[in-house]
Amino acid sequence: MSVEASHRLHRFHPQSRAAPLPEDIGSGSDEEARDALHILPLSALPLETSCLRRARLVKNVRLQTAVELFNDIHAGSGQIAPGQLPQHLGFRTPELERDLVKITRIAQAPSFDVYTLRIELRRLSINVEEHESLRLSDARKTQLTRYMRVFTRPLIETVYGTDEVQVESVDDLIRIFTAPDVAEVRRRLRLLADRLDIPLTEIPAFLQEYGDIFLSLAYFKERLDDIVPDVQAFLAWTDGIRASNEIRRDARHRRLLDDVGRDLTEISTSITGRFESFDNRSRDFWRDINATSFRSIRELITAHHVTIGGVLCGLAVKMNLWKARFASGGGPIRRMEFVRSEILPGLSHIKALERSARGERTAEDTQ
């Protein structure tokens, strides 16, 4: 999807019998979309209105949710508000009404990453375990291998006494631990099971849960590592605006740039600090492995999924639009207008989301 076009809501004539939804909205595969923060193919939801499954929800640059009906390199992104679906489709059925309840609820999620979606769907009493579309793609899992090694290494060392065993995925972990052929490894596995207060036969389930939790952390950390350099480059770009004669003479514009720069710096610093806190807590877990410490770190990470996803989604959408618009430069007045009209709207929401999570983290750290 062109993020640049994503903030435009295309209007449809209220009396028209609405063109049917296209067969393909032409913006990458569903596999790519399910790895994204700001896109949700409606095919991932258990909807009763079949034609809706060809559309998708997207977050625009103002962090509003829209239903994207088509996306074309020439025509742009055709979007409507979720509440306009009956008007656009030209009918209102009990099935559509039930679907609108789900769509409206999911539209309120701050991010469409698979971890936030699982939480929101469970709140709607929808079973998420059977939905492959609510898991990261195999390609993305492979890309996250280097991030996962940070979390798999202490597990390997605990059981094997060395970190030289090659592990590329959670499946590898389960395979080498469920069929150990060394007496010492079996002994260590029994010790691990005892410390976690679970039967030895439940070690594979523990590994799966451990892998899922830290895969989510690896996914968000990868996105953070992509986004923070963009934010830093954007802030350097705003310094160029501030240095121009037109902006230097306008105190109102200077204050706006200062406010935006301060907010983005605060958000980036705070969310980076959250990941450092997760790293510290995971190290603490391996120093004193027990059922309580594992439950504690699991609950800590999953409790932050929604706010992490929301903050990263908001930053990613804005930074992607900035790169798309100004890859080839632009004058100071045009740049200033972009900051005012596209970066500023919704920034206070991102900051509030991060501040709410920071307050939770402070409370956790004092316990």
Side-chain angles (χ1 to χ4, degrees), residues 169-242:
S169 68
V170 174
D171 290 338
D172 286 348
L173 273 177
I174 295 173
R175 176 180 51 78
I176 64 176
F177 286 153
T178 52
D181 56 2
V182 180
E184 176 62 15
V185 172
R186 291 195 186 95
R187 186 186 71 81
R188 288 171 175 261
L189 279 174
R190 290 191 188 95
L191 286 175
L192 178 61
D194 289 343
R195 295 174 72 177
L196 291 169
D197 195 24
I198 60 175
L200 185 60
T201 55
E202 291 185 16
I203 283 290
F206 158 74
L207 295 175
Q208 186 66 60
E209 186 173 18
Y210 179 89
D212 285 345
I213 291 167
F214 285 103
L215 182 65
S216 73
L217 202 55
Y219 166 73
F220 287 126
K221 183 65 165 63
E222 181 200 43
R223 303 314 303 266
L224 178 72
D225 287 351
D226 288 339
I227 292 167
V228 167
D230 287 342
V231 171
Q232 292 170 341
F234 173 81
L235 292 175
W237 179 82
T238 61
D239 288 341
I241 306 175
R242 193 179 283 104

Side-chain angles (χ1 to χ4, degrees), residues 295-306:
R295 185 166 56 251
S296 174
I297 194 169
R298 177 187 63 198
E299 292 172 355
L300 170 67
I301 294 172
T302 55
H304 283 261
H305 277 165
V306 171

Side-chain angles (χ1 to χ4, degrees), residues 56-112:
R56 50 191 202 175
L57 296 182
V58 296
K59 292 289 183 183
N60 62 32
V61 76
R62 290 172 177 78
L63 308 186
Q64 302 163 330
T65 298
V67 179
E68 185 177 61
L69 305 173
F70 64 84
N71 190 305
D72 181 81
I73 191 171
H74 301 295
S77 176
Q79 301 176 11
I80 60 174
Q84 293 177 306
L85 275 169
Q87 180 181 344
H88 173 68
L89 294 173
F91 61 82
R92 186 182 286 271
T93 64
E95 293 80 9
L96 179 58
E97 293 292 344
R98 289 192 292 268
D99 287 341
L100 282 174
V101 171
K102 296 173 186 173
I103 291 171
T104 302
R105 176 62 181 270
I106 293 299
Q108 296 171 9
S111 171
F112 294 143

